[in-house]
Amino acid sequence: MPIDPQNTLLTVQAGLAQLSTLIVSYSFSAIGAVILLVVGYIVANLAERSISAGLGHIHGFDATLRHFFSKIVRYAILILVVIMVLGQFGVQTASIIAAIGAIGLAIGLALQGTLQNIAAGIMLLALRPFRIGESVEVGAIAGSVEEIGLFATKLRTADGVYILAPNSTLWNQPVRNFTRNGVRRTDITLSIGSWNDIDGAQKTLLGIAGAEKRIRREPAPIAFVGALGDTTVSLTLRYWTAAADYFATQIDMTKRAKQAFDSEGISIPLPPPEAPSPETRKQ
């Protein structure tokens, strides 16, 4: 069958016209996509800086949370821009949004424990049950707080052991903060023989407490009889100090109380001798 040159020419012209239309259409879409990307990137950066600066003016707002929320806003804007760019090329954005939602749900289920730690970290940073440098006890975990992150909190125990505790563990248990109130009460208990002068022993304890500058005058230190034994009397010296001076003052006051009792002739009873074993009695 012979080829009609005129029909061939018309077909080529129609194809070129259609190709030209597609090139023009996609050129405008590409230009629009580039403009959207550039504008979106600039808007995302401006939004991140604005959110960070705005939260920075809030007194006591944690820097980690400020960084976290500003990054969330930035990435949310960038994701929206990418979806809009795909829409420029005729991609069904509804299906993309549904796919992103499904992927997010799958990731959330897979990282459920991690997301719990993030949520707990946000609550810890927002409500501040403890701050960096404070001494806390949460369940079986105790130590000085060194860093509060979104996933875990770093602590150092009194004997120098490093602890990395998941935030969900710290958030789901009562927190004992030994530093937050700024002051702490201390009870030092010593036993003396019941034949000693109890009033004199109490005055001795109050005397060494009054000479210690780290002990607060309000509330005033007190000395009282805590318990009575067959041949012993338990005396308790109760005083308040700054939280930072708690351990050092306790160590010094215990030593001074013993030295003061020795100088005043106040005797501390010895434990009763052990009963001889049957083997010893047979000998």
Side-chain angles (χ1 to χ4, degrees):
M1 181 178 176
I3 299 176
D4 188 354
Q6 186 174 3
N7 290 336
T8 303
L9 180 61
L10 291 175
T11 302
V12 171
Q13 288 177 346
L16 290 174
Q18 186 177 5
L19 179 61
S20 176
T21 302
L22 289 175
I23 291 174
V24 171
S25 175
Y26 277 103
S27 295
F28 282 113
S29 296
I31 294 172
V34 171
I35 293 174
L36 276 175
L37 286 173
V38 173
V39 173
Y41 182 80
I42 294 173
V43 170
N45 287 339
L46 289 176
E48 179 185 6
R49 294 174 186 174
S50 299
I51 294 294
S52 180
L55 295 177
H57 292 304
I58 301 176
H59 179 70
F61 200 89
D62 189 83
T64 304
L65 278 182
R66 185 172 74 246
H67 179 76
F68 176 75
F69 286 129
S70 60
K71 287 294 184 183
I72 287 291
V73 172
R74 180 176 187 269
Y75 290 131
I77 293 175
L78 290 177
I79 290 173
L80 181 61
V81 169
V82 171
I83 293 175
M84 293 173 63
V85 168
L86 292 176
Q88 290 287 318
F89 295 97
V91 179
Q92 295 295 324
T93 56
S95 59
I96 295 176
I97 295 174
I100 291 175
I103 293 172
L105 179 61
I107 293 175
L109 292 175
L111 302 177
Q112 186 175 3
T114 302
L115 294 178
Q116 287 180 353
N117 286 328
I118 293 176
I122 293 174
M123 297 303 294
L124 290 174
L125 291 169
L127 299 182
R128 296 297 188 91
F130 48 77
R131 295 184 175 90
I132 294 176
E134 292 183 336
S135 179
V136 299
E137 179 180 293
V138 186
I141 301 172
S144 177
V145 180
E146 292 193 334
E147 181 181 335
I148 306 172
L150 282 176
F151 298 95
T153 297
K154 298 178 183 179
L155 303 97
R156 182 181 295 274
T157 64
D159 54 350
V161 177
Y162 169 87
I163 296 178
L164 182 65
N167 286 333
S168 58
T169 302
L170 301 178
W171 177 249
N172 292 325
Q173 298 187 74
V175 176
R176 298 183 65 196
N177 192 322
F178 301 107
T179 313
R180 177 62 55 86
N181 291 334
V183 294
R184 288 190 65 178
R185 193 192 76 187
T186 308
D187 288 354
I188 295 178
T189 300
L190 300 97
S191 295
I192 64 173
S194 56
W195 55 86
N196 291 285
D197 180 8
I198 297 176
D199 290 334
Q202 287 177 298
K203 290 180 181 179
T204 300
L205 291 176
L206 291 175
I208 62 173
E212 174 54 59
K213 295 181 180 180
R214 290 171 293 184
I215 293 179
R216 290 177 171 263
R217 300 299 174 254
E218 291 294 335
I222 60 173
F224 58 90
V225 176
L228 295 174
D230 294 337
T231 60
T232 61
V233 176
S234 293
L235 295 179
T236 299
L237 173 64
R238 175 172 293 173
Y239 60 86
W240 291 80
T241 63
D245 296 331
Y246 175 81
F247 289 109
T249 308
Q250 183 185 48
I251 293 171
D252 292 341
M253 292 300 294
T254 302
K255 177 181 179 181
R256 292 174 190 171
K258 175 62 171 67
Q259 292 173 336
F261 280 180
D262 290 343
S263 63
E264 296 289 336
I266 301 172
S267 59
I268 296 177
L270 297 175
E274 295 182 359
S277 63
E279 291 78 8
T280 304
R281 287 198 296 266
K282 288 180 181 179
Q283 294 176 359

